[in-house]
Amino acid sequence: MRLFGVLLLLAGMGFGAAAQAQDLKWNEVVAKARGQTVNWNAWAGDEKTNAFIAWVGEEVGRRYGIKVNHVKLKDTAESVARVVAERAAGRNSDGTVDLIWINGPNFLAMKQQSLLFGPFTHVLPNFAYVDTARKRSNLIDFTIPVDGFESPWRMAQIVFVYDSKRVQQMPGSAVELLAWAKKNPGRLTHPSVRNFLGATFLKQALYELAPDPSVLQTPATDEKFAAVTTPLWAWYEQLLPALWRQGRQFPENGPAQRQLLNDAEIDLMISFNPAEAAVSIDAGLLPDSVRTLVFAKGTIGNTSFVAIPYNAASKEGAMVVADFLLEPATQARAQDFRQMGNFTVLDLSKVSPEARKRFDDLPKSPALPTNAELGTTLLEPHPSWMTRIAAEWEKRYTK
Amino acid sequence: MNRGAFAPLRLDAVRIGVGGRALILPLTFDVAPGECVTVMGPSGCGKSTLLAFISGTIDPAFVVTGRVLIGATDITAMAPEARRVGMQFQDDLLFPHLSVGENLAFALRPHVRDRTERRARIEHALAEADLAGFARRDPATLSGGQRARVALMRTLLAEPDVLLLDEPFNKLDAQLRGDFRRFVFDHAAERGLPTLLVTHDATDARAAGGRVIDLAWPLSR
Amino acid sequence: MRAAPALTVAVFLLPIAAGLVGTLLPAFGYLPAIGGSAFNLDGWRRLASYPGFRSSVAVTLTTGVVTSVLAVFVAFGFCAIAHGLGWMRRIGGWLAPILAAPHSAIAIGLAFLIAPSGWIVRALSPWLTGWTVPPDVATVGDAAGFALVLGLLLKEVPYLVLMIVGAMSQVPVQQHLAIARSLGYASTESWVKTILPQIYPQIRLPIYAVIAFSLSVVDVALILGPSNPPTLAVLAVRWFADADIQFYFPAAAAATLLLLLVVAVIAAWFGVERIAIGLGRRWIARGRRRSGVTFGASVAAGAFGIVFALSLAALVGMALWSFAVQWRFPDALPQAWSLANWMRRLDGLAVPAWQTLLIGAMATAIALVLVVGCLENEARARRRPGAGALWMLYVPLLVPQVAFLFGAQVLLVRANFDGTLAAVVWAHLIFVLPYLFLSLADPWRAFDPRYARTAASLGASPARVLFAIKLPILLRPVLIACAVAFAVSVGQYLATLFAGNGRVATLTTDAVTLAGGADRRVIGAYSLLQALFPLLAYLFAAALPALLFARRRGLAATP
């Protein structure tokens, strides 16, 4: 009986929060947001992104009177842990986290534990421009339906960046990558599989090596996992000794790996940002000779979102920021490789002609791939595959 | 408030012990205004401890009974800064961060408010010490003898009722010793201060010209 | 004034105790807020079943013990050789820039220095080595922990040397050495056989602090240590921050295990001490005039020189990066320089720099008031503090930070106090206070009591004595102690992270976050400021008394 009462209470809390979001009107939201401080928890390992977030803060401050505080994270999981700690301490309102740059397993964790405010994206006026037809990852986050609990802001697709001065034959698939690595031992690495980019390296290989890739869209079970990943581990076992540091050490994240390429410790690296090469050359973080390549059969792509915790102190301010991120002018600036170089989440056929021209006028670079070159985007597998792959990798290769 | 102008210093059954044994057996004596009583004894017999007791800065490890009075006022329980007991050590202990004049000014009582008056008094004190015009000097630039004289003038400027001297002549050479001794005793007598001198040097005692109390071992046991 | 000691104890012992409890309970399964309501060993089981558990414990222990042993050897060996040299008295000044720089700044600089694509290789390539690409050798982040040991030594050795120099001032060194040498012992032999045994008891607590730190350091391990698996402390912090809250339990277990390891190693060290003392006595009694001591000490002195050179090079390297536009391998120096870097970074640096300054100043100020209060209280009551008081002061330095900061964070969150500047100041205070006390205690206690007696006899109240006489005369030791305290605050990493809940950014937290591999030019700027701030504090501490008391020769001598 008590259990039923608790369940009812929990359901009521969830309901209550949802009910509030449904009834919001935009002008009310903007009015309430004025004067709020939004603590935007975002991974801070990249200078350009930090600068972009700072610019967003300035613009939003000017236009809406909102103060944005960029809470710099080493890892998005820190934010999730914080919200959990706050709920554990009974802090159900006035939380310290207002907005989180999030996707994938972290989003799944928060959505499952009812730690998110929403659904709220239907309230945002600029959400109408989002491409929901051809960029399905804007609605399905790692096979989890978004249901309006997070708002997209940038797209990512796996590419490989290489130094054209030292790499003559470009590998175009996982199998070719293995052959290349064997010929050039110690010149390739990937971030630690605990990092999402590192895990994606393995996922990308899995797409190619798995007997039937469609099974990756379903949750992983023990038997499925064992069967599907056998060829992957066979391939990886051969690759490991040919990696940098003989596969005994890995850079912690993308920027660390990029530093290795800049230091000439490696010649080839994986990246989630198609504009990475162009952006880095511009910022002096990589030499001018780097170029971008994509695998022939396509690479994994996903969307990055922003979400609002259930106990956020400045929910309205957070929503205004999320909406601002979807504004065509903002998206165009984000796609400019001199700023951040992230391809847009918007459907350019839905925006106004002036906005479309902004996109056309963006600067170009030899290291910047065209949309055609980026080819097919493969959907992210179910998050359970990533968590299992990461766990299995740790088990096998952490001694 | 000059409570004890020309009042005697009185020790009444003063007994000091430490760690269970007695250091100084009951002492009772008076020091008349202008008189200088010498307390003598070898090292470690408690002479300096006695002075510390009178000035109110004795270490709590010592167990003390008895009273100290200036005239009719019992100062045994008073805070050290309220006692008006002047002290001279064998080191001049001029405050190194203050100039000669500032050292003297520190001692000058606050009831002398007027700045010109204060400066005048300081200059007068310096002149008495044969150091006219030295007010702005750094104490470290003075000779040993000069510093000792400034130290005494500092003590006297505070208008004490009693003067305690803890082996003040030790660090001076023979020639300076004699001169400074005379300087101290002259001033003490002039102001009518009951003076207590602690020393292990017999010539000091003779120069003091007053009674001698010997705290030698057999007596203190 | 009388409340000072009680207040001081409250400030740092209570939070540590509370924090420890707050970490110990979850280690055994008790954290009702997330569903752990019964005591169980699940956390421990998960910890033990982590694939890299054994290697993690092994690397933690080896790096911790090896660092401690080497640090002690190099520090004592160096002092044995160098004690006679005139400049040893000014060694504090030489070591100041290294001691001032936070651990993480030196670690970041070292990482660049010794990497296969680092400065040393760049300086030697390709003309000496023939390398056009860096060799595939793990010098940073290696699984055995060599880089970590080196990074720790760079700070621990100067720290111990300073403690030794301080301890030597309490012993009549010159007389003892004169006697020993007149008996036929060489200079180094004399020092090791007569001075070292006398000063060791005073170095014991600093050595224990070095042991505890080496075993439980997080920021240096993040930068230089292995990551697969990492040391136990890094593992604990990683799990504490994990999105899956069930990781709190093994995280707390890891932190508790770390605490036990620290206690065990210190106890083992104490045991070895006893044996060494027995053996040492016999060795000394044998009366051999020439044993291998001089040789060993020379090796140690050489090692000290290397440590010193590496530290300076580490700092200079990062300074160069902050002004570089492009610095590719294998160039020995950046191809292009510019101040534009700094201009661009100024915005991003402003907030953490300002907060670092503010937190450091406030923590130092509060600590100063408390410490002066305690010391004055002690002076007025004329009480000598017992050895117990010294141990109490060392508690924050002996307990692994990760073992109590998590528990403290939960308390802060409950009190709705976390994430504020005040919470961070308070967390810093816990570590700043012992260092300030230890720096100031000796000079304060050595203050000639007769000054105070004289001033009292001249009619000055105790308060007037304190402010008009004691503090001005002790100005230099006070300012130096404040500089030490400020440096400690600047270098804090975990404390800021936990108490600030990630919302308070200081130069150190940002630098460690960026050290992962962002732009080295940016990291260079952060590291430089990290090292500069405390250095400026030291310079201020040296300069201000010199300025104020320029015409007071009595205060010119270094106490």
Side-chain angles (χ1 to χ4, degrees):
Chain A
M1 191 55 200
R2 223 183 300 142
L3 182 61
F4 181 70
V6 168
L7 285 177
L8 205 58
L9 190 65
L10 285 175
M13 287 195 323
F15 246 2
Q20 286 171 349
Q22 305 278 22
D23 309 330
L24 289 171
K25 293 214 194 21
W26 187 242
N27 46 348
E28 287 171 14
V29 171
V30 173
K32 219 162 169 246
R34 189 161 283 275
Q36 285 184 344
T37 299
V38 173
N39 286 312
W40 186 2
N41 284 34
W43 181 69
D46 183 41
E47 266 286 290
K48 289 265 168 166
T49 314
N50 293 349
F52 185 82
I53 293 178
W55 173 83
V56 167
E58 281 165 28
E59 287 295 305
V60 157
R62 258 190 328 109
R63 248 201 258 181
Y64 299 104
I66 298 173
K67 181 168 182 298
V68 173
N69 178 24
H70 178 186
V71 178
K72 298 186 174 162
L73 303 179
K74 263 180 91 75
D75 187 345
T76 305
E78 287 168 31
S79 248
V80 180
R82 207 165 292 143
V83 178
V84 169
E86 285 179 359
R87 183 163 65 186
R91 193 149 154 189
N92 292 322
S93 64
D94 202 30
T96 56
V97 180
D98 295 308
L99 194 65
I100 311 180
W101 168 12
I102 194 173
N103 69 356
N106 284 315
F107 170 67
L108 174 63
M110 288 193 87
K111 190 170 181 240
Q112 274 181 340
Q113 295 173 51
S114 305
L115 290 172
L116 292 175
F117 166 73
F120 70 92
T121 52
H122 60 282
V123 180
L124 310 179
N126 287 327
F127 192 79
Y129 299 130
V130 171
D131 191 344
T132 51
R134 278 164 302 163
K135 298 180 184 160
R136 298 282 301 159
S137 57
N138 285 334
L139 288 182
I140 300 178
D141 186 358
F142 284 66
T143 75
I144 309 293
V146 169
D147 286 341
F149 277 90
E150 50 180 9
S151 170
W153 75 290
R154 54 197 282 188
M155 294 243 11
Q157 184 172 343
I158 290 290
V159 297
F160 285 86
V161 177
Y162 64 97
D163 190 344
S164 59
K165 277 221 202 100
R166 287 196 298 269
V167 176
Q168 271 73 54
Q169 272 181 303
M170 271 83 75
S173 69
V175 172
E176 285 177 31
L177 194 65
L178 175 58
W180 184 90
K182 283 193 185 158
K183 273 216 216 98
N184 304 275
R187 309 304 299 171
L188 168 72
T189 188
H190 61 80
S192 156
V193 175
R194 266 190 323 270
N195 173 273
F196 72 95
L197 185 59
T200 311
F201 178 82
L202 290 182
K203 277 187 296 180
Q204 176 65 43
L206 185 59
Y207 252 108
E208 191 182 306
L209 302 165
D212 176 22
S214 61
V215 77
L216 296 177
Q217 294 303 308
T218 63
T221 63
D222 287 333
E223 320 89 51
K224 262 194 267 181
F225 184 78
V228 172
T229 57
T230 313
L232 172 69
W233 299 121
W235 168 86
Y236 194 70
E237 288 284 331
Q238 295 190 58
L239 182 66
L240 200 66
L243 288 178
W244 179 76
R245 301 284 185 268
Q246 297 93 48
R248 268 181 264 137
Q249 230 184 296
F250 295 93
E252 279 303 299
N253 50 41
Q257 191 195 212
R258 179 179 58 197
Q259 186 68 56
L260 291 179
L261 184 59
N262 193 28
D263 283 337
E265 296 219 29
I266 59 176
D267 293 328
L268 184 61
M269 72 175 218
I270 187 176
S271 168
F272 242 128
N273 186 355
E276 168 104 54
V279 169
S280 303
I281 294 174
D282 192 52
L285 291 170
L286 281 177
D288 309 354
S289 47
V290 297
R291 299 285 179 268
T292 312
L293 76 84
V294 183
F295 280 177
K297 296 220 202 103
T299 52
I300 296 178
N302 68 35
T303 304
S304 270
F305 299 84
V306 285
I308 307 177
Y310 81 106
N311 66 345
S314 312
K315 293 191 181 73
E316 296 77 18
M319 284 198 280
V320 171
V321 173
D323 181 69
F324 176 75
L325 288 173
L326 289 173
E327 198 161 302
T330 312
Q331 288 281 312
R333 187 189 168 98
Q335 192 169 316
D336 184 346
F337 77 81
R338 291 167 312 180
Q339 301 297 330
M340 231 180 14
N342 273 121
F343 284 66
T344 182
V345 298
L346 303 183
D347 184 345
L348 291 183
S349 62
K350 290 190 195 171
V351 306
S352 68
E354 301 88 50
R356 215 169 312 143
K357 187 164 186 307
R358 257 194 232 253
F359 280 90
D360 290 334
D361 287 345
L362 288 176
K364 317 230 184 312
S365 150
L368 190 69
T370 62
N371 275 40
E373 282 169 347
L374 283 179
T376 331
T377 315
L378 303 172
L379 266 186
E380 284 277 7
H382 192 270
S384 54
W385 289 95
M386 179 147 105
T387 35
R388 274 174 198 260
I389 288 177
E392 183 68 23
W393 182 86
E394 278 222 86
K395 197 167 80 170
R396 285 170 174 247
Y397 303 110
T398 306
K399 276 162 305 250
Chain B
M1 192 269 294
N2 211 342
R3 85 170 80 79
F6 293 95
L9 170 70
R10 296 201 140 100
L11 264 66
D12 186 13
V14 170
R15 198 196 180 117
I16 302 180
V18 69
R21 66 174 181 84
L23 192 60
I24 293 181
L25 293 177
L27 272 180
T28 304
F29 64 89
D30 283 6
V31 183
E35 182 190 0
C36 181
V37 170
T38 311
V39 175
M40 291 195 64
S43 330
C45 70
K47 314 191 293 291
S48 298
T49 315
L50 181 62
L51 291 189
F53 171 60
I54 299 173
S55 71
T57 55
I58 193 170
D59 194 303
F62 291 96
V63 176
V64 192
T65 56
R67 302 185 303 159
V68 181
L69 303 102
I70 298 183
T73 321
D74 185 346
I75 61 167
T76 321
M78 276 187 166
E81 57 269 18
R83 293 189 187 200
R84 292 197 170 236
V85 170
M87 286 215 65
Q88 279 291 112
F89 294 97
Q90 60 181 332
D91 294 306
D92 51 87
L93 292 174
L94 292 180
F95 302 126
H97 63 297
L98 302 174
S99 68
V100 166
E102 284 163 353
N103 263 279
L104 295 176
F106 185 84
L108 200 52
R109 293 276 161 189
H111 67 76
V112 183
R113 256 184 243 275
D114 182 35
R115 281 181 65 185
T116 352
E117 171 71 29
R118 286 178 78 89
R119 228 174 299 154
R121 291 226 194 174
I122 290 170
E123 274 302 325
H124 180 74
L126 285 172
E128 271 193 69
D130 207 17
L131 294 169
F134 271 55
R136 287 171 163 267
R137 291 280 293 269
D138 175 11
T141 60
L142 271 56
S143 72
Q146 290 171 321
R147 286 207 302 275
R149 294 205 296 276
V150 174
L152 181 68
M153 294 323 295
R154 182 179 64 178
T155 308
L156 295 178
L157 269 178
E159 296 168 28
D161 297 328
V162 166
L163 189 59
L164 302 179
L165 306 169
D166 191 344
E167 309 201 44
F169 315 119
N170 265 11
K171 289 235 170 122
L172 305 168
D173 62 51
Q175 170 62 21
L176 269 175
R177 202 182 184 108
D179 291 339
F180 187 59
R181 253 198 325 241
R182 238 168 303 144
F183 186 74
V184 173
F185 293 141
D186 287 347
H187 279 278
E190 181 189 320
R191 284 171 169 74
L193 294 172
T195 310
L196 204 54
L197 168 69
V198 154
T199 181
H200 61 261
D201 185 331
T203 48
D204 288 341
R206 266 197 301 268
R211 281 173 288 155
V212 174
I213 296 179
D214 203 331
L215 291 182
W217 286 116
L219 197 57
S220 345
R221 273 242 189 266
Chain C
M1 189 62 65
R2 245 167 290 157
L7 206 60
T8 309
V9 168
V11 154
F12 71 87
L13 280 190
L14 287 185
I16 296 180
L20 275 178
V21 168
T23 308
L24 233 70
L25 289 179
F28 290 99
Y30 187 73
L31 189 58
I34 56 172
S37 51
F39 285 95
N40 59 52
L41 293 177
D42 279 345
W44 293 95
R45 248 171 263 142
R46 288 185 70 177
L47 172 64
S49 63
Y50 172 68
F53 173 63
R54 252 179 258 223
S55 338
S56 181
V57 172
V59 83
T60 307
L61 275 176
T62 41
T63 54
V65 170
V66 167
T67 303
S68 313
V69 168
L70 281 181
V72 170
F73 170 69
V74 173
F76 275 120
F78 171 71
C79 289
I81 295 263
H83 68 87
L85 302 174
W87 46 265
M88 267 297 270
R89 242 155 285 139
R90 317 185 96 237
I91 194 90
W94 286 86
L95 294 176
I98 301 169
L99 287 168
H103 274 92
S104 42
I106 300 240
I108 290 173
L110 184 70
F112 173 61
L113 201 58
I114 62 174
S117 61
W119 202 7
I120 293 180
V121 174
R122 286 182 199 212
L124 299 176
S125 299
W127 57 273
L128 190 64
T129 58
W131 289 326
T132 47
V133 286
D136 190 15
V137 173
T139 55
V140 172
D142 59 302
F146 283 126
L148 177 56
V149 169
L150 187 60
L152 288 173
L153 282 178
L154 290 194
K155 282 274 288 187
E156 302 309 325
V157 167
Y159 167 68
L160 282 181
V161 166
L162 215 65
M163 296 288 113
I164 292 172
V165 168
M168 282 206 291
S169 66
Q170 318 258 3
V171 163
V173 175
Q174 293 310 322
Q175 283 97 310
H176 286 184
L177 287 178
I179 294 177
R181 295 185 75 172
S182 74
L183 293 172
Y185 288 91
S187 159
T188 316
E189 293 269 346
S190 318
W191 195 92
V192 170
K193 289 185 174 169
T194 61
I195 307 297
L196 198 159
Q198 290 190 60
I199 59 173
Y200 185 84
Q202 283 162 288
I203 311 295
R204 176 178 283 131
L205 274 176
I207 290 179
Y208 290 172
V210 166
I211 294 175
F213 184 76
S214 312
L215 284 167
S216 62
V217 67
V218 173
D219 46 7
V220 180
L222 278 172
I223 297 167
L224 293 171
S227 58
N228 212 37
T231 59
L232 213 53
V234 171
L235 199 59
V237 171
R238 211 189 263 173
W239 283 345
F240 273 130
D242 200 293
D244 179 1
I245 45 163
Q246 294 303 314
F247 268 109
Y248 277 9
F249 298 108
T256 311
L257 179 61
L258 192 59
L259 178 63
L260 292 175
L261 284 180
V262 168
V263 169
V265 173
I266 292 183
W269 187 280
F270 185 75
V272 170
E273 267 179 27
R274 300 280 116 204
I275 300 174
I277 289 176
L279 291 175
R281 268 194 223 266
R282 269 185 280 168
W283 175 63
I284 293 177
R286 249 188 285 156
R288 279 184 61 188
R289 298 305 198 258
R290 273 177 193 286
S291 45
V293 162
T294 310
F295 175 70
S298 314
V299 171
F304 179 84
I306 295 177
V307 159
F308 186 73
L310 283 178
S311 314
L312 284 182
L315 291 174
V316 169
M318 294 326 284
L320 285 182
W321 263 111
S322 69
F323 290 104
V325 170
Q326 263 270 30
W327 192 354
R328 302 223 63 218
F329 184 88
D331 300 325
L333 286 175
Q335 292 139 324
W337 312 80
S338 115
L339 268 179
N341 257 353
W342 276 97
M343 294 296 117
R344 247 181 298 155
R345 310 288 168 225
L346 234 46
D347 279 337
L349 283 170
V351 166
W354 171 243
Q355 300 209 121
T356 304
L357 214 59
L358 198 61
I359 294 170
M362 296 208 305
T364 303
I366 299 174
L368 184 65
V369 168
L370 287 174
V371 169
V372 168
C374 285
L375 287 171
E376 256 307 276
N377 195 40
E378 176 192 300
R380 288 190 202 171
R382 233 74 66 83
R383 234 197 319 257
R384 267 298 101 150
L390 198 59
W391 274 88
M392 245 190 350
L393 269 178
Y394 263 88
V395 165
L397 310 180
L398 294 175
V399 177
Q401 286 198 342
V402 74
F404 69 88
L405 282 175
F406 169 68
Q409 184 191 32
V410 170
L411 285 177
L412 286 173
V413 169
R414 228 176 248 287
N416 228 349
F417 190 49
D418 66 310
T420 59
L421 215 64
V424 177
V425 170
W426 174 73
H428 281 212
L429 196 57
I430 299 177
F431 304 99
V432 159
L433 208 143
Y435 279 101
L436 207 157
F437 196 103
L438 292 167
S439 297
L440 194 52
D442 285 337
W444 195 274
R445 289 176 187 149
F447 182 73
D448 194 332
R450 296 175 302 172
Y451 279 123
R453 290 173 64 185
T454 305
S457 76
L458 297 172
S461 67
R464 186 145 184 252
V465 173
L466 178 64
F467 287 104
I469 304 297
K470 204 161 186 177
L471 282 176
I473 294 181
L474 288 176
L475 187 63
R476 187 197 246 112
V478 164
L479 286 181
I480 291 181
C482 286
V484 169
F486 183 71
V488 169
S489 168
V490 170
Q492 286 301 313
Y493 173 68
L494 267 193
T496 315
L497 210 63
F498 274 91
N501 227 343
R503 284 167 73 191
V504 176
T506 58
L507 289 172
T508 297
T509 53
D510 276 3
V512 176
T513 306
L514 292 171
D519 198 344
R520 272 218 197 88
R521 303 168 293 185
V522 176
I523 305 173
Y526 273 89
S527 300
L528 194 61
L529 281 187
Q530 263 187 300
L532 211 60
F533 276 15
L535 192 60
L536 289 177
Y538 274 94
L539 290 176
F540 180 72
L544 189 65
L547 241 101
L548 282 183
F549 300 133
R551 287 175 297 129
R552 300 282 175 256
R553 292 208 301 212
L555 288 174
T558 326

